Amino acid sequence: MARILKGAPVAAALTETLTARAAALEARGTVPTLAILRAGERGDDLAYERGAMSRCAKIGVAVKQFLLPADCTRTQLLDAIQQINADPGIHGCLMFRPLPDKQMEEAARGLLSPEKDVDCMTAGALAGVFSGKGTGFPPCTAQACMEILDYYGVDCAGKRAAVVGRSLVIGKPVAMMLLAKNSTVTICHTKTADMPAVCREADILIAAAGRAGVVDAAYTNPEQVVIDVGINVDAQGNLCGDVDFPAVEPHVSAITPVPGGVGAVTTTVLAKHVIEATEKTLV
């Protein structure tokens, strides 16, 4: 029976410390403030937004919404970002992606101030993840994986880690974050030969493929810690991860559930990044 690495205790512990930090900032006359920039009303965006606003309210982070129609123009989008950049009372920005127009999205990412990029949308923030220097913050979901490992006492140093997925949203950033913790990291992808065999060698397995149940028992070993980043919907309409949980759970040392794992921590990490961005402005 694997240890179930639930996200709620991690989020609760973070919330306690972050609430104190937010209160300290407010005592100095500054309320940490997040801008949420959304174009359209996609269901998954709305659900995440509600969760983020609820978590921010608990911690003491204010939220300003910049809501645009799904068919907004390039000018409308960039004007909103200019407002966010120019407002010293806004310390972080979450822009929902993807946008329907990829060129518009690239322009938005290029315009946003890296200092206010709390979810690794800009090239500057990505450079910071890969170099360990610079402004901005890692993606909230990637950071949530690391917060879970830290909370449950998983020492990454000297461990072999496998990351299934190579996106700039999760796969590559979390691989760099594991490397910074002195893990030996392999990034797996659709062209990886005998991926199950590669993953079986890992002490830590991060599943971020974006495909329901792609990781099964053949990928695992009895000492392995599995972090499931995936959020998918199965044929019955239920949320599930990239890991086939019933097949994998009996064969590993520890595993995050879906739902109730990484996703439960992500909005708290978002608030953490806003608070850190605010603190930097007062140094």
Side-chain angles (χ1 to χ4, degrees):
M1 181 74 68
R3 185 184 188 191
I4 306 301
L5 308 180
K6 293 183 178 181
V10 187
L14 284 170
T15 295
E16 183 176 356
T17 59
L18 293 174
T19 300
R21 288 167 67 179
L25 287 167
E26 188 169 3
R28 296 174 65 182
T30 300
V31 177
T33 301
L34 169 69
I36 292 180
L37 176 55
R38 170 168 53 80
E41 297 186 346
R42 285 169 36 126
D44 53 348
D45 289 349
L46 293 172
Y48 185 77
E49 183 175 317
R50 286 192 297 269
M53 293 180 69
S54 174
R55 182 61 60 178
C56 285
K58 289 178 182 177
I59 290 171
V61 173
V63 177
K64 292 184 178 180
Q65 293 172 289
F66 293 75
L67 306 181
L68 301 174
D71 59 351
C72 68
T73 66
R74 178 189 179 99
T75 298
Q76 287 175 306
L77 179 65
L78 298 186
D79 281 352
I81 293 176
Q82 290 280 31
Q83 290 181 52
I84 292 166
N85 285 345
D87 188 343
I90 293 175
H91 307 99
C93 175
L94 170 67
M95 182 179 76
F96 282 104
R97 299 164 287 166
L99 295 173
D101 185 325
K102 290 185 178 180
Q103 290 185 335
M104 188 188 299
E105 181 175 321
E106 286 300 314
R109 290 166 56 158
L111 182 61
L112 180 64
S113 170
E115 290 80 9
K116 298 189 179 188
D117 179 10
V118 291
D119 197 26
C120 206
M121 296 180 284
T122 63
L126 276 171
V129 172
F130 280 79
S131 69
K133 301 176 183 178
T135 57
F137 300 88
C140 294
T141 303
Q143 180 69 53
C145 295
M146 305 308 296
E147 296 286 354
I148 289 172
L149 292 171
D150 287 346
Y151 179 85
Y152 286 105
V154 179
D155 184 4
C156 298
K159 301 291 179 61
R160 294 167 296 181
V163 178
V164 181
R166 55 179 170 179
S167 76
L168 285 174
V169 178
I170 302 294
K172 290 178 181 177
V174 82
M176 293 302 101
M177 295 170 80
L178 286 162
L179 187 63
K181 291 277 192 177
N182 297 312
S183 293
T184 299
V185 186
T186 301
I187 300 177
C188 299
H189 46 79
T190 54
K191 302 300 182 183
T192 300
D194 199 357
M195 193 187 306
V198 174
C199 291
R200 276 197 303 274
E201 297 298 315
D203 303 299
I204 300 167
L205 175 60
I206 311 284
R211 289 176 53 201
V214 66
V215 173
D216 60 22
Y219 286 65
T220 67
N221 71 67
E223 303 303 317
Q224 194 175 75
V225 175
V226 179
I227 306 293
D228 189 353
V229 180
I231 296 291
N232 308 287
V233 179
D234 64 18
Q236 289 73 44
N238 300 313
L239 281 178
C240 63
D242 290 353
V243 176
D244 183 345
F245 188 91
V248 167
E249 186 269 336
H251 300 285
V252 297
S253 171
I255 185 171
T256 58
V258 177
V262 175
V265 183
T266 301
T267 55
T268 311
V269 170
L270 174 66
K272 178 181 181 180
H273 287 173
V274 177
I275 288 171
E276 289 176 351
T278 308
E279 290 169 342
K280 289 178 180 180
T281 68
L282 301 179
V283 172

